[in-house]
Amino acid sequence: MVKGTRINQLAVVAFLINTIIYSISIIFGYFSYTNSPKIKITNLNMLDILQNNLFLSGKIIVFGMITFGLYSIFIVFMNGFILGNSLSSGNFEWNIMHIIPHGVFEIPAILISATLGMMSLIIIVNLIYYTKQKVALSKKIFLYTQN
């Protein structure tokens, strides 16, 4: 197996883990709804939302790599929790008009950024895996040459 293929497989697994964490956190947020104070919503244009998402994605990638993915997992969980909490407010029309158009771009961006933020952990796991493979192969070659 080529090393690049193994890293791609681990990245897919990391993306699926982030998706599962996001889904579970939405459920937690939905069922832990409290009657929180109303947040004043300002009218944001698409450029403001894009700028915010790019900044957040950059933070997730950089701090995720520094913390070996822990920051990425935390942000994914918190974003899903907040979404679940918002969805449980019961204001269906507001959710459709504000959350869904924003979430179409934000949710995939957060999940992909979190996966990239976990790349340092993925690379370390990959190195450990291939180091074990090389050590095992070296032992076999050594034992074979001794006979």
Side-chain angles (χ1 to χ4, degrees), residues 101-112:
H102 179 197
V104 167
F105 299 106
E106 183 179 342
I107 294 170
I110 287 175
L111 294 176
I112 292 169

Side-chain angles (χ1 to χ4, degrees), residues 43-56:
N43 290 331
L44 297 175
N45 60 22
M46 197 66 172
L47 188 60
D48 292 334
I49 294 172
L50 178 66
Q51 182 180 10
N52 180 50
N53 287 344
L54 286 173
F55 180 70
L56 180 62

Side-chain angles (χ1 to χ4, degrees), residues 14-75:
F15 183 81
L16 293 174
I17 289 170
N18 284 324
T19 304
I20 291 168
I21 290 170
Y22 195 78
S23 301
I24 291 171
S25 66
I26 290 172
I27 294 168
F28 280 152
Y30 186 84
F31 288 111
S32 68
Y33 174 73
T34 57
N35 196 3
S36 57
K38 296 291 181 190
I39 299 171
K40 183 180 179 188
I41 304 296
T42 59
N43 290 331
L44 297 175
N45 60 22
M46 197 66 172
L47 188 60
D48 292 334
I49 294 172
L50 178 66
Q51 182 180 10
N52 180 50
N53 287 344
L54 286 173
F55 180 70
L56 180 62
S57 294
K59 278 183 15 181
I60 292 171
I61 293 168
V62 171
F63 291 124
M65 286 190 172
I66 293 170
T67 62
F68 300 105
L70 292 177
Y71 182 80
S72 301
I73 291 170
F74 174 74
I75 294 296

Side-chain angles (χ1 to χ4, degrees), residues 4-16:
T5 305
R6 174 82 176 154
I7 289 177
N8 291 343
Q9 290 173 345
L10 291 172
V12 169
V13 169
F15 183 81
L16 293 174

Side-chain angles (χ1 to χ4, degrees), residues 85-101:
N85 206 324
S86 298
L87 292 175
S88 66
S89 68
N91 193 345
F92 182 75
E93 182 181 315
W94 187 89
N95 288 334
I96 295 295
M97 296 301 293
H98 292 91
I99 294 178
I100 291 178

